[in-house]
Amino acid sequence: MCYQAYLSIRQHANLFINLFSLLLGCGMPELQSFDDIAYLRKTLALDKSQPEALEYFSKQMNDAHHGGWTTKMDWIFHTIRHMPLSESGHD
């Protein structure tokens, strides 16, 4: 089901990218710059064919499930980057 959902979202990637681009100015901590939109593009593997994208997604799922350190580091840095200043100790 995860693979079907990924492909479905990927199929409508332009819609999601446009919607997220419109939300950039809303003040959401997770969505502050076009770098965040680039992250969405990377995650959806838009530069790859569908079989390559599924392989990429499968690797990401495997890494997350088996505790891949690169996935953990990616989430750690993503969290730190979007942490409000009051929580990060930089008041």
Side-chain angles (χ1 to χ4, degrees):
M1 284 179 28
C2 290
Y3 296 119
Q4 290 173 343
Y6 176 76
L7 289 177
S8 181
I9 291 169
R10 190 173 182 271
Q11 182 179 0
H12 299 287
N14 287 335
L15 174 64
F16 283 100
I17 289 169
N18 287 335
L19 288 172
F20 278 67
S21 296
L22 290 170
L23 290 170
L24 277 175
C26 291
M28 295 170 55
E30 298 83 7
L31 191 58
Q32 293 291 311
S33 72
F34 283 105
D35 288 341
D36 299 319
I37 303 296
Y39 183 81
L40 177 62
R41 288 180 178 277
K42 176 187 164 203
T43 302
L44 293 175
L46 297 179
D47 60 334
K48 299 179 184 330
S49 67
Q50 182 170 315
E52 292 171 327
L54 273 175
E55 184 178 329
Y56 169 80
F57 182 70
S58 179
K59 183 184 178 321
Q60 298 303 310
M61 291 285 286
N62 242 356
D63 287 351
H65 180 70
H66 296 294
W69 69 271
T70 55
T71 304
K72 288 180 182 177
M73 291 304 292
D74 187 37
W75 277 106
I76 287 169
F77 285 115
H78 184 77
T79 301
I80 290 170
R81 179 173 181 218
H82 295 292
M83 186 182 303
L85 290 177
S86 60
E87 290 182 26
S88 65
H90 294 97
D91 292 343

